[in-house]
Structures are given as C-alpha cells and as structure tokens.
Amino acid sequence: MHNPPHPGEFITEIYLEPNAISGRELAQNLDVAPSTLNRLLRGTSRVTPEMALRLSKAVGRSAESWLAMQDAHYLWIARQRIDLQRVGKLNLAAA
C-alpha cells in the first residue's frame, strides 16, 4: 500500500499550486488565521471536523472525505510504526 498524502499536501498540489492561489488567500476564504492553515499545509496539524466543514465549502469534496483522507494518512503511518506481534485476539461470543 502506498503512503496516502496528508490533506495539507493534497490541498497544495491539487488546489493551490495549479490555480496560483496562496495559502494566505485560502486562509482568508476559510476564515482562519494564516498560521493555522500553514500548519495544516505543512502537515504539522490535522484536519479537524471544523476545518473539514470549511474546506468542504471553500474547495469542494465532502467534509467526510477530508476527515477520511486524514485518517487514511495517520493509519498508514501507524501501520509502519506499530508491531502487532504480541497483540492477541479475543474469542468473543456473537452479539
């Protein structure tokens, strides 16, 4: 499986660069501080539910898709780092 992009990387490559839009301009449209958006674009912060709603309105895609993209990125990172060798499976009765 490939490394899913962080939403900030996706925003930069798909929306900002091809359309010559600055992070400051997008931050203004999102009604957030430029520093807040900059952290997202650099991948040092995550898409929150509030940011997902803002992104959905400003650039498109559903809020759910923004959150799913963030989760896919973090899940990929976790799979690279965690050793599940000692994790056991419970035998559970059917619900």
Side-chain angles (χ1 to χ4, degrees):
M1 179 178 185
H2 73 286
N3 179 359
H6 185 278
E9 179 184 351
F10 182 82
I11 291 165
T12 299
E13 292 179 5
I14 301 301
Y15 298 108
L16 300 184
E17 290 174 352
N19 295 292
I21 297 171
S22 69
R24 190 168 290 280
E25 183 179 348
L26 178 57
Q28 185 176 8
N29 281 14
L30 293 170
D31 193 30
V32 298
S35 60
T36 299
L37 180 63
N38 190 39
R39 285 190 300 275
L40 176 64
L41 296 178
R42 287 192 339 255
T44 59
S45 69
R46 66 181 188 90
V47 172
T48 63
E50 294 83 3
M51 181 61 83
L53 290 168
R54 292 171 188 272
L55 287 167
S56 180
K57 182 168 184 185
V59 299
R61 303 174 58 97
S62 69
E64 292 83 1
S65 73
W66 288 111
L67 293 172
M69 183 183 297
Q70 184 68 71
D71 286 345
H73 176 74
Y74 281 159
L75 184 58
W76 186 87
I77 291 171
R79 282 188 171 129
Q80 307 312 304
R81 294 182 179 169
I82 191 166
D83 180 4
L84 299 174
Q85 293 285 335
R86 295 177 34 190
V87 176
K89 183 172 173 122
L90 292 174
N91 292 320
L92 302 172

